[in-house]
């Protein structure tokens, strides 16, 4: 690794981190805007032109709020939990390729922070670490509601992680690689995995909704039943860490979805390589657009469907998603055997 | 009649879910009904029962004769009247020296308006009065007469929306 690579990596880390934080800020505004539009109202429009400064106001409010630590919490774990949640949330994006490779002064720069050869497993591992934060937050708060929220999140994770894994297996089978670059390249060479495995895409989509604790699966923070869920006892900066990680997880999950099933940064019917470095720019835009669509889908679904009941969630996970995932693997295997 | 038995396709959920998403997406692009409140105000329909007023004659004298009918009719017991002999020679012989309404207890039923034999008490269209203390929501006779002054020339909100500047009593 020479100096060039080091500098390039540093720049990529900063850019990706900045992009995630910026997107989270935009999402907090978009969430309420879309909610408003769906409900025939305008949403935030007081702070700044068209309410654009609302995220800034929110951020300031969080920082200025009183930082409360309740008496009967298990202090070290209580303070560690938000960190355990946010670190994986920000780390997962590292292996996601967000554009085609860039040629600078004879060097090829991959638009991806780290191209490790077990990228997929890395993401799966990290997303499951994140849930420890929720469980620990719930347990250490020393209060019933957070405890229930934390327990729910672990049960939810177990039910959906399996289906999610099974959905990914089908993709790995056809693309023959565990790195995102291989998967994207394979989709570029043939067609998007969505067309080949719509069932897996569907299972995966539902699974990432459950994974990110978003409606209709936001049982961990169901306000009506759990006051606030696992973060009931958290305030100001500690709370904002949970908040940030939820949105960062959504961004990563959307990017994950795009890479696995919607061709990553691939623009259909266009050869990016022929466009040179401009192709790279377009590929990044295409990627951003696709991720943006899924982020919109997250919000759209949130304001359309009611929350699942706890047993319904379990039933869906074990009795519907898991079999569907297996059916998909079987079908893909059969198809590959017949073609071979 | 429409029934909500699931149709055949609904049993697969997906079609029904897509239908639901479509409905919310259509609403996303529809015109928004919001009234931008402090700048624009909702004009309530005629007959709306809001803040009370005490009517005056053209010469500025109060119409109320302190008969206490409204006080008797009030189901919330929120009207407090003290009658006295009127200071003027001609016209009514009684008038109130104290007329207070506890707006926090009032349920805006309009019974006082119906009970009044002199058409002295009336409910107006004003809905956005609020205060930081309970005391400020006890409106006295002076306040009620002031409400008459601002409301006598037509709907306050319609006028405000047209750009007229009107101070509504006790709204702060
Ligand atoms: S509106 Fe009803 S509750 Fe209010 S003062 Fe009149 S009679 Fe009493
Ligand atoms: S407002 Fe009407 S009902 Fe009430 S005391 Fe005066 S005259 Fe009588």
């Amino acid at each position: 690794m020479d100096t060039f690579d080091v500098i390039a990596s540093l720049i990529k880390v900063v850019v990706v981190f900045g992009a995630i934080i910026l997107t989270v800020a935009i999402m907090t505004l978009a969430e309420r805007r879309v909610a408003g539009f769906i409900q025939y109202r305008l949403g935030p429009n007081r702070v700044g032109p068209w309410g654009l400064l609302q995220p800034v106001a929110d951020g300031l409010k969080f920082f200025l709020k009183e930082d409360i630590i309740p008496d009967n919490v298990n202090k070290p774990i209580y303070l560690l939990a938000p960190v355990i949640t946010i670190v994986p949330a920000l780390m997962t994006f590292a292996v996601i390729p967000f554009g085609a490779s860039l040629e600078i002064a004879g060097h090829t720069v991959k638009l991806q922070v780290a191209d490790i050869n077990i990228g997929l497993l890395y993401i799966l591992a990290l997303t499951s670490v994140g849930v420890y934060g929720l469980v620990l937050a719930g347990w250490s708060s020393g209060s019933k509601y957070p405890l229930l929220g934390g327990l729910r999140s672990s049960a939810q994770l177990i039910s959906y992680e399996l289906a999610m894994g099974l959905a990914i297996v089908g993709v790995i089978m056809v693309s023959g690689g565990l790195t995102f670059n291989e998967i994207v390249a394979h989709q570029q060479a043939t067609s998007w995995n969505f067309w080949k495995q719509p069932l897996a895409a569907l299972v995966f989509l539902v699974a990432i909704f459950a994974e990110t604790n978003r409606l209709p699966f936001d049982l961990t923070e169901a306000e009506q039943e759990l006051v606030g869920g696992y973060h009931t006892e958290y305030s100001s900066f500690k709370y904002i860490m949970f908040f940030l990680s939820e949105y960062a997880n959504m961004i990563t999950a959307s990017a994950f979805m795009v890479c696995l099933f919607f061709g990553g940064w691939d623009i259909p019917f266009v050869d990016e390589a022929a466009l040179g470095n401009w192709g790279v720019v377009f590929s990044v835009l295409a990627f951003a657009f696709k991720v943006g669509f899924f982020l919109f889908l997250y919000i759209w679904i949130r304001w359309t469907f009611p929350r699942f009941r706890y047993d319904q969630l379990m039933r869906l996970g074990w009795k519907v998603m898991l079999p569907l995932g297996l059916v998909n693997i079987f079908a893909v295997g059969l198809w590959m055997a017949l073609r071979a | 009649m429409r029934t909500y038995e699931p149709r055949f396709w609904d049993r697969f959920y997906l079609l029904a879910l897509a239908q639901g998403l479509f409905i919310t997406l259509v609403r996303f692009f529809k015109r928004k009904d919001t009234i931008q409140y402090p700048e624009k105000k909702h004009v309530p329909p005629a007959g709306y029962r809001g803040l009370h007023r005490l009517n005056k004659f053209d010469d500025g004298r109060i119409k109320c004769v302190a008969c206490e009918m409204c006080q008797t009719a009030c189901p919330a017991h929120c009207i407090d009247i003290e009658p006295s002999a009127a200071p003027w020679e001609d016209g009514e012989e009684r008038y109130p020296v104290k007329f207070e309404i506890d707006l926090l207890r009032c349920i805006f039923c309009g019974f006082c308006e119906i009970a009044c034999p002199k058409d002295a008490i009336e409910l107006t269209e004003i809905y956005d009065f609020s205060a930081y203390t309970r005391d400020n929501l006890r409106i006295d006779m002076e306040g009620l007469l002031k409400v008459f002054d601002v409301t006598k020339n037509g709907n306050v909100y319609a006028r405000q929306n047209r750009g007229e500047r009107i101070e509504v009593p006790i709204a702060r």
Side-chain angles (χ1 to χ4, degrees):
Chain A
M1 213 187 202
D2 57 11
T3 337
F4 182 87
D5 289 328
V6 174
I7 294 173
S9 297
L10 278 179
I11 292 176
K12 281 187 288 191
V13 169
V14 172
V15 167
V16 167
F17 185 72
I20 289 181
I21 300 293
L22 190 71
T23 316
V24 170
I26 296 170
M27 280 296 285
T28 60
L29 180 66
E31 178 100 51
R32 283 181 276 170
R33 273 262 163 210
V34 174
F37 270 46
I38 286 175
Q39 297 163 354
Y40 285 168
R41 54 189 177 85
L42 292 177
N45 62 351
R46 290 276 131 191
V47 198
W50 306 292
L52 284 179
L53 295 181
Q54 189 66 45
V56 181
D58 290 342
L60 273 178
K61 183 182 136 193
F62 273 123
F63 281 110
L64 297 178
K65 271 207 159 173
E66 188 186 357
D67 200 4
I68 299 168
I69 299 179
D71 276 344
N72 58 340
V73 299
N74 185 325
K75 217 166 163 192
I77 297 181
Y78 173 80
L79 292 178
L80 194 65
V83 182
I84 297 181
T85 318
I86 198 166
V87 169
L90 291 176
M91 275 168 69
T92 33
F93 205 90
V95 292
I96 304 242
F98 52 91
S101 300
L102 198 60
E103 298 287 338
I104 301 175
H107 291 267
T108 306
V109 181
K110 279 185 184 154
L111 290 188
Q112 180 183 23
V113 174
D115 186 16
I116 52 179
N117 52 13
I118 48 161
L120 260 173
L121 301 183
Y122 170 85
I123 286 203
L124 284 180
L126 274 185
T127 49
S128 0
V129 171
V131 79
Y132 282 98
L134 309 194
V135 178
L136 289 178
W139 177 78
S140 66
S141 287
S143 157
K144 292 179 203 72
Y145 294 125
L147 181 65
L148 286 174
L151 287 178
R152 282 180 175 202
S153 69
S154 57
Q156 183 173 327
L157 183 91
I158 296 167
S159 321
Y160 281 85
E161 196 93 309
L162 287 170
M164 187 171 170
L166 289 180
I168 297 174
V169 168
V171 173
I172 299 174
M173 281 162 77
V174 289
S175 53
L178 276 175
T179 74
F180 281 100
N181 276 320
E182 280 168 323
I183 293 167
V184 172
H186 178 261
Q187 292 184 69
Q188 254 179 331
T190 56
S191 65
W192 291 2
N193 281 336
F194 174 73
W195 303 119
K196 288 181 275 189
Q197 304 183 27
L199 190 61
L202 188 76
V203 170
F204 188 76
L205 185 70
V206 177
I208 60 171
F209 269 80
E211 180 88 27
T212 47
N213 297 326
R214 286 286 296 194
L215 234 83
F217 307 117
D218 69 336
L219 291 161
T220 52
E221 44 183 296
E223 283 128 38
Q224 295 89 333
E225 307 137 54
L226 300 178
V227 187
Y230 60 90
H231 55 55
T232 305
E233 306 294 342
Y234 284 84
S235 60
S236 76
F237 195 71
K238 301 191 294 309
Y239 174 76
I240 212 175
M241 284 202 246
F242 283 125
F243 190 78
L244 199 66
S245 56
E246 177 180 331
Y247 279 92
N249 275 333
M250 276 162 65
I251 298 167
T252 314
S254 304
F256 204 4
M257 180 85 199
V258 167
C259 285
L260 286 183
F261 293 100
F262 291 88
W265 35 265
D266 174 42
I267 312 171
F269 315 117
V270 177
D271 185 14
E272 289 108 10
L275 290 168
N277 274 354
W278 277 110
V280 179
V281 176
F282 284 119
S283 71
V284 174
L285 287 180
F287 180 77
F289 177 79
K290 289 181 203 172
V291 172
F293 172 78
F294 280 101
L295 288 177
F296 177 75
L297 188 70
Y298 263 113
I299 305 175
W300 183 10
I301 285 184
R302 172 169 181 182
W303 299 106
T304 304
F305 301 134
R307 176 180 305 127
F308 269 57
R309 214 172 51 216
Y310 196 60
D311 56 321
Q312 292 169 332
L313 174 105
M314 289 291 168
R315 198 181 59 195
L316 185 69
W318 293 103
K319 290 193 176 168
V320 181
M321 309 265 290
L322 204 62
L324 283 182
L326 287 170
V327 166
N328 179 64
I329 294 179
F330 181 72
V332 172
L334 202 66
W335 178 71
M336 286 175 74
L338 290 180
R339 274 201 353 157
Chain B
M1 202 179 93
R2 237 177 117 188
T3 68
Y4 289 93
E5 282 296 305
R7 290 165 295 157
F8 173 75
W9 284 107
D10 289 346
R11 292 178 201 281
F12 292 90
Y13 291 111
L14 288 178
L15 212 73
L17 292 183
Q19 207 180 2
L21 282 173
F22 180 74
I23 290 171
T24 42
L25 190 68
V26 168
R27 294 188 62 155
F28 185 87
F29 295 107
K30 283 249 181 85
R31 203 175 62 82
K32 307 294 166 253
D33 290 339
T34 337
I35 294 170
Q36 297 302 303
Y37 168 62
E39 292 90 25
K40 282 263 168 256
K41 292 195 172 165
H42 168 65
V43 180
Y48 182 86
R49 300 197 297 260
L51 188 60
H52 315 63
R53 74 179 191 192
L54 275 177
N55 293 341
K56 289 194 263 188
F57 288 114
D58 289 342
D59 60 3
R61 276 191 213 162
I62 189 165
K63 276 189 177 177
C64 173
V65 292
C67 68
E68 296 176 29
M69 300 268 252
C70 51
Q71 194 177 19
T72 314
C74 177
H77 300 301
C78 59
I79 305 181
D80 193 2
I81 301 171
E82 228 172 74
S84 172
W88 43 75
E89 291 294 306
D90 56 329
E92 313 293 355
E93 286 162 25
R94 272 158 63 104
Y95 89 129
V97 280
K98 178 181 166 201
F99 197 118
E100 264 187 16
I101 300 178
D102 186 349
L103 294 171
L104 284 172
R105 294 186 63 174
C106 174
I107 53 170
F108 300 96
C109 59
F111 283 5
C112 44
E113 191 174 5
I114 298 169
C116 182
K118 290 286 179 185
D119 281 341
I121 191 163
E122 251 181 78
L123 300 187
T124 66
E125 68 278 9
I126 295 173
Y127 53 78
D128 60 345
F129 51 92
S130 57
Y132 286 109
T133 62
R134 302 190 139 247
D135 277 346
N136 284 343
L137 281 169
R138 284 187 72 87
I139 188 166
D140 58 3
M141 194 162 78
E142 202 189 330
L144 289 164
L145 291 171
K146 236 187 259 165
V147 179
F148 174 75
D149 290 336
V150 295
T151 51
K152 66 181 176 202
N153 296 325
N155 190 300
V156 171
Y157 299 115
R159 279 150 68 207
Q160 276 183 345
N161 283 349
R162 264 183 260 123
E164 214 175 304
R165 289 190 61 82
I166 303 169
E167 278 295 320
V168 174
I170 84 161
R172 64 196 83 222

